[in-house]
Structures are given as structure tokens and as C-alpha cells.
């Protein structure tokens, strides 16, 4: 295990487990770095036929570790965040995920890049970027409206409204909902089934279904806006309010 990420490889399956349950699997820059390294490495690893992402504890991930953002230089995000989201956009290996509890921010947007997603019955997807006076990332401003429509996407991205597991299935955000105790065996079985498929045909099909260049370009646009928003008076108020455990007041800004 490195930087709170457990990495295992067996039978063609690369499993990446976020293992920081005491912090609700909040993602640090170091954790992003390990995830990016492993997904990038899988591209040229002939032994890897499918990738699984999941989390330990009662939550998939609380999203970004806000302490990392607070420590970043002005106008910059922690450096490995961009590497990770580019890796999940560009990988041609099948990418799968198993989600329990809350999936906050990148915990939800990374699912838009997955080829197979299972949710536990208690799963709840949220993208509260605007709540923090920020903007969506990981090309979610493009992928989410395309997947569920503008109105539903606006409710998630602009209002931060949560989507429960069953609703996520109805909206096409996941393949199936399973009991919590069956989540890990179910994703392992799905990954094993994918691993038995002809990898060349799987990769070619995935390339036909996704425009990696378009996604990467959208991420660049989002990244510039995200960095600008991070330094805005609105974001400073949002982060201060979060630290002070109070409601932010955005009415003071035009």
C-alpha cells in the first residue's frame, strides 16, 4: 500500500482501493499520484486487462482533501489531480468502479469515465463544486449533460443536489445496485467477466465510443476556470465558511 492506495494485480485485474477510511477516503495529492501512476502504467502492461476502483470503509470518497487545496500555490491545483483525470479519460483499458456511501465531487465525476459501475444500496452521488464557488472538473461539464440531460445535470452541478442509488440507475449513471455486502464480490465478478473478453476488441470498441481528445480539451478549459475560481472572493468565502462551520454568504459579491 502506498499513500493510502492499496494496489493488487491478479488474473488480469488491477484493483485500486482508496484506503483512508478515517478521513472518508478524501483524496490527497499523493493518492492522486499513485492512482495516476497505476492507470498510466496499465496502458502498456499486457498483464492488465481491466481496472477496478473502489474505497474502504463506509464512503467511496469525500472528494478532494481540502487541506491539499489550501496548501497549493496561488492559481494552482495539486499537481497530480490533472494527471489522474487525464489518465481516466485517456486509458483504453476497461475501467470499472464499485461505490458505497457517498461519492463526492471527483468521486462522482470519475464514474463518468468508467465503463462499468456498480452502486451499493446506500450510494449517494454529489457534485457540489458550485457550493464551494468552483466549477466542474474531469470533463463533467461535457459528460454529465450528455449522459443525463441539461436540466438534471444543472441540478447536480449548480445546486449540488444528491442522486440516490436507484435514481442514478434510472438516469444511466450506473449499471446496477446491489446490497452493500455483495458490492465487492459483484464488481470482482464483473471485472473477471470483462477480463475474459478479447482485449483488442474491447479496446477498439471503447475508442469508438469515446473521444479522448475532446475530453482532454474540455478538461483543459475547465482547469483554467477552476484555477481562476479557486482564487475568487466567492471561493475564499466558501472555504472560510466551511472551516468555520457556517453558511457562506455569496450575496456580498456581484
Amino acid at each position: 500500500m502506498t499513500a493510502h492506495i492499496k494496489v493488487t494485480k491478479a488474473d488480469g485485474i488491477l484493483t485500486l482501493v482508496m484506503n483512508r477510511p478515517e478521513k472518508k477516503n478524501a483524496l490527497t495529492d499523493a493518492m492522486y499520484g499513485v492512482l495516476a501512476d497505476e492507470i498510466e502504467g496499465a496502458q502498456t502492461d499486457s498483464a492488465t486487462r481491466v481496472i477496478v476502483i473502489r474505497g474502504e470503509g463506509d464512503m467511496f470518497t469525500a472528494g478532494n482533501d481540502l487541506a491539499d487545496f489550501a496548501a497549493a500555490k496561488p492559481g494552482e491545483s495539486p499537481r497530480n489531480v490533472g494527471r489522474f483525470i487525464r489518465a481516466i479519460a485517456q486509458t483504453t483499458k476497461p475501467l470499472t468502479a464499485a461505490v458505497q456511501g457517498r461519492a463526492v465531487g471527483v468521486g462522482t465525476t470519475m464514474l463518468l469515465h468508467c465503463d462499468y459501475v456498480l452502486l451499493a444500496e446506500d450510494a449517494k452521488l454529489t457534485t457540489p463544486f458550485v457550493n464551494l464557488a468552483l466549477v466542474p472538473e474531469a470533463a463533467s461539464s461535457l459528460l454529465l449533460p450528455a449522459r443525463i440531460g441539461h436540466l438534471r445535470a444543472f441540478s447536480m452541478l449548480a445546486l449540488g443536489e444528491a442522486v440516490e442509488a436507484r435514481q442514478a440507475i434510472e438516469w444511466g449513471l450506473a449499471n446496477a445496485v446491489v446490497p452493500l455486502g455483495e458490492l465487492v464480490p459483484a464488481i470482482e465478478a464483473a471485472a473477471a467477466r470483462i477480463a475474459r473478453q478479447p482485449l483488442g476488441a474491447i479496446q477498439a470498441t471503447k475508442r469508438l465510443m469515446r473521444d479522448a481528445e475532446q475530453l482532454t480539451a474540455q478538461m483543459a478549459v475547465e482547469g483554467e476556470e477552476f484555477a481562476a475560481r479557486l482564487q475568487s472572493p466567492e471561493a475564499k468565502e466558501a472555504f472560510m465558511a466551511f472551516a468555520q462551520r457556517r453558511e457562506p454568504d455569496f450575496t456580498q459579491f456581484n
Side-chain angles (χ1 to χ4, degrees):
M1 182 176 69
T2 305
H4 301 293
I5 302 292
K6 290 195 297 187
V7 180
T8 59
K9 300 178 182 180
D11 303 319
I13 302 170
L14 169 63
T15 302
L16 306 174
V17 183
M18 296 173 286
N19 188 40
R20 200 188 179 202
E22 73 281 2
K23 295 293 186 179
K24 304 300 183 184
N25 294 327
L27 288 157
T28 63
D29 189 53
M31 292 169 72
Y32 275 119
V34 175
L35 291 170
D37 287 344
E38 293 297 330
I39 295 171
E40 289 169 354
Q43 275 291 93
T44 55
D45 179 14
S46 61
T48 298
R49 302 179 67 84
V50 60
I51 303 167
V52 174
I53 300 177
R54 59 182 183 85
E56 290 287 4
D58 61 4
M59 185 182 292
F60 182 62
T61 175
N64 291 325
D65 186 309
L66 294 182
D68 266 22
F69 277 92
K73 294 180 181 179
E76 294 183 2
S77 296
R79 65 184 181 88
N80 286 314
V81 177
R83 287 185 57 225
F84 169 72
I85 62 175
R86 286 191 298 273
I88 59 176
Q90 295 172 357
T91 184
T92 61
K93 296 292 176 76
L95 188 61
T96 71
V99 178
Q100 82 283 8
R102 295 181 64 199
V104 181
V106 71
T108 289
T109 59
M110 75 168 75
L111 303 181
L112 299 172
H113 295 273
C114 290
D115 305 295
Y116 194 93
V117 177
L118 292 180
L119 304 179
E121 292 173 330
D122 68 341
K124 184 181 293 185
L125 313 182
T126 56
T127 52
F129 300 106
V130 170
N131 294 23
L132 291 170
L134 302 175
V135 294
E137 38 79 282
S140 58
S141 60
L142 175 69
L143 290 171
L144 193 60
R147 181 79 61 86
I148 67 175
H150 177 90
L151 298 180
R152 288 171 173 172
F154 188 87
S155 72
M156 291 185 69
L157 296 175
L159 300 179
E161 292 183 356
V163 178
E164 306 282 349
R166 297 292 176 185
Q167 188 176 44
I169 295 297
E170 294 175 5
W171 288 8
L173 291 170
N175 292 83
V177 176
V178 300
L180 178 60
E182 298 176 14
L183 182 64
V184 173
I187 197 62
E188 289 176 344
R193 181 181 176 189
I194 295 170
R196 291 193 294 269
Q197 292 291 87
L199 180 58
I202 285 278
Q203 290 181 291
T205 298
K206 180 169 177 172
R207 283 195 299 268
L208 291 168
M209 293 172 67
R210 296 173 63 82
D211 186 339
E213 289 186 5
Q214 182 186 30
L215 298 180
T216 302
Q218 186 73 5
M219 287 176 180
V221 174
E222 290 174 342
E224 290 182 4
E225 188 62 44
F226 194 101
R229 290 286 91 209
L230 199 58
Q231 299 305 312
S232 70
E234 291 178 335
K236 292 176 182 177
E237 164 64 9
F239 281 82
M240 185 178 296
F242 181 86
Q244 296 174 350
R245 299 181 182 276
R246 63 173 173 81
E247 288 293 318
D249 177 16
F250 297 124
T251 61
Q252 60 187 299
F253 309 112
N254 292 327

